[in-house]
Amino acid sequence: MAANPRVRSNAIAALNSNYHRVGLFAFLVIVLGHWAEHIVQAVQIYALDWPRPQAGGVLGLWFPWLVKSELMHYGYALVMLVGFVLLRHGFHGRARTWWMLALWVQVWHHFEHLLLFLQALTGQNLLGQPAPTSILQLVLPRVELHLFYNAIVFIPMVVAMVLHRRPRFDDLVQCSCAPHRTPAAVG
């Protein structure tokens, strides 16, 4: 049974006004958890000198099969994309520009994970590679590529969140995120 479009519209409107701060916080927790996994994996490789197949981050220590699953990576990329899309309406002015930049980079990142997921499903790897391979993975190793992707999504996302929390007067809107300011209080 499909959700009522009006209810869905009201929920998205609430998420981008009264509950925007909570939604952004929850999204940030998810993003930071993912970042932590990639940073731990990089430490395992570069500081602890672990072989790449054994360096699976924190989750990989307990669930090595999960970290090797393209479904898990694709699912996360999809959650990120959905989060960016759902929360974008709460951003305005300069903050929205930065948020949209992060969203479009995530669109590409999602596409790369979709490509990897489809290769894993079909067994047909890109350009005859021995394992599922993304386009940019043809020139950068996977661990470094995902650190790069996470950085170029995370940086504009954080800039957007900071600008959103501290808007200039011409960017002010009703949102649960920004402190209530009057024109005199905004420099």
Side-chain angles (χ1 to χ4, degrees), residues 117-141:
F117 181 55
L118 292 174
Q119 290 173 66
L121 279 178
T122 65
Q124 299 296 312
N125 297 332
L126 184 66
L127 300 175
Q129 295 290 312
T133 305
S134 68
I135 294 169
L136 288 184
Q137 197 178 336
L138 293 169
V139 293
L140 282 173

Side-chain angles (χ1 to χ4, degrees), residues 19 24 26 41 46 54-55 65 71 77 86 89 97 105 109 112 127 132 138 148 153-154 167 174 177:
Y19 298 101
L24 285 175
Q41 185 182 37
Y46 293 111
Q54 278 73 47
W65 59 269
L71 177 60
L86 289 178
H89 298 294
T97 300
V105 174
H109 189 191
E112 290 263 279
L127 300 175
L138 293 169
F148 171 73
V153 169
F154 187 70
Q174 293 294 352
C177 297

Side-chain angles (χ1 to χ4, degrees), residues 12 23 29 33 75 113 133 170:
I12 292 171
V29 166
H113 276 291
T133 305
D170 53 338

Side-chain angles (χ1 to χ4, degrees), residues 34 38 69-78 106-120 132 134-135 137 142 146 149-150:
H34 187 240
H38 283 288
S69 163
E70 291 299 342
L71 177 60
M72 191 258 318
H73 293 284
Y74 175 72
Y76 177 77
L78 184 61
Q106 184 59 30
V107 166
W108 173 259
H109 189 191
H110 170 264
F111 168 74
E112 290 263 279
H113 276 291
L114 177 61
L115 182 62
L116 290 165
F117 181 55
L118 292 174
Q119 290 173 66
S134 68
I135 294 169
Q137 197 178 336
R142 187 166 180 155
H146 282 88
Y149 274 142
N150 283 288

Side-chain angles (χ1 to χ4, degrees), residues 28-74:
L28 183 61
V29 166
I30 291 167
V31 171
L32 288 175
H34 187 240
W35 244 124
E37 281 293 320
H38 283 288
I39 290 169
V40 167
Q41 185 182 37
V43 167
Q44 289 168 340
I45 291 169
Y46 293 111
L48 302 175
D49 203 28
W50 290 14
R52 286 178 184 258
Q54 278 73 47
V58 175
L59 282 177
L61 294 175
W62 292 296
F63 309 105
W65 59 269
L66 181 63
V67 174
K68 291 178 172 72
S69 163
E70 291 299 342
L71 177 60
M72 191 258 318
H73 293 284
Y74 175 72

